[in-house]
Amino acid sequence: MTSDKRRENIELILQRSNEPITATALAKEFSVSRQVIVGDIALMRAAGLKISATPRGYIFDSEKESQICFTVACSHDIGNMEKELYAIVDNGGTAYDVTVEHPIYGQISGALHISSRYEADIFLKKIRSNVVQPLMKLTDGIHIHKIKCSSENEKKRIIEALKDEQIIME
């Protein structure tokens, strides 16, 4: 199979999947190395495809027209990450990404795509294992989340839940 054909097939797989797919799984599917897949994804992004790398793998960004997207500024310590994520997902939202303002590099963002307690728990387990540190550690807990949801009611519930947990900055 040519590399162009492999990238076409990767695109189809990602478009049809509702779940993130790891580079390792794609590498196994196409009998190539994980690094080949990482390179393929980089080329596909450079060609304009909207593919995000999440903590659980790659996902094709398909924007729903009815989807509401908003940002909130948050501040808390690591101990409140669970409350923050649960407040978002329990009220119908997806924690789409997180951004911090770094004094040297400017804005640094990380894709999250967390839309359930199960996904939040996987993310939190990685944080608690001390294998990785969240971006908020760079800015003493201050960060911005892009959140997606389906309705204005969900947006209001998410904001209120974050206020109740004293996480949202006003």
Side-chain angles (χ1 to χ4, degrees):
M1 173 182 300
T2 67
S3 56
D4 287 339
K5 186 67 175 165
R6 184 179 59 246
R7 286 190 285 276
E8 286 176 23
N9 287 332
I10 291 170
E11 180 180 354
L12 288 173
I13 289 169
L14 292 175
Q15 285 177 335
R16 292 177 181 158
S17 178
N18 293 326
E19 299 291 322
I21 302 171
T22 66
T24 302
L26 290 168
K28 188 174 181 180
E29 173 77 22
F30 296 104
S31 301
V32 295
S33 71
R34 181 186 174 286
Q35 199 56 41
V36 167
I37 298 298
V38 170
D40 284 342
I41 296 293
L43 290 170
M44 294 165 70
R45 285 176 167 164
L49 290 177
K50 296 196 183 272
I51 299 171
S52 290
T54 75
R56 296 174 327 281
Y58 294 112
I59 191 162
F60 196 80
D61 287 339
S62 58
E63 293 283 327
K64 297 176 187 168
E65 287 186 28
S66 62
Q67 204 167 41
I68 294 168
C69 183
F70 63 101
T71 58
V72 292
C74 299
S75 179
H76 59 80
D77 59 19
I78 286 185
N80 285 319
M81 287 182 74
E82 180 177 288
K83 288 179 183 178
E84 175 187 57
L85 293 173
Y86 286 0
I88 295 167
V89 302
D90 288 351
N91 288 288
T94 296
Y96 187 76
D97 70 15
V98 61
T99 301
V100 296
E101 185 70 32
H102 192 274
I104 295 173
Y105 300 112
Q107 285 189 344
I108 301 173
S109 295
L112 296 174
H113 295 268
I114 296 172
S115 54
S116 69
R117 278 190 178 227
Y118 174 76
E119 293 170 351
D121 289 343
I122 291 170
F123 178 79
L124 293 166
K125 185 176 180 180
K126 288 180 183 177
I127 298 295
R128 290 181 183 130
S129 71
N130 289 319
V131 172
V132 294
Q133 293 294 313
L135 286 177
M136 61 179 261
K137 289 281 280 190
L138 298 173
T139 55
D140 294 326
I142 297 172
H143 56 285
I144 297 170
H145 279 294
K146 183 186 298 180
I147 300 172
K148 294 186 177 187
C149 62
S150 299
S151 70
E152 284 295 326
N153 275 343
E154 286 176 351
K155 177 182 174 181
K156 288 177 187 173
R157 283 197 322 260
I158 292 165
I159 291 170
E160 283 305 312
L162 291 169
K163 284 180 183 177
D164 290 347
E165 295 295 344
Q166 298 179 335
I167 287 172
I168 202 166
M169 294 175 65
E170 297 185 80

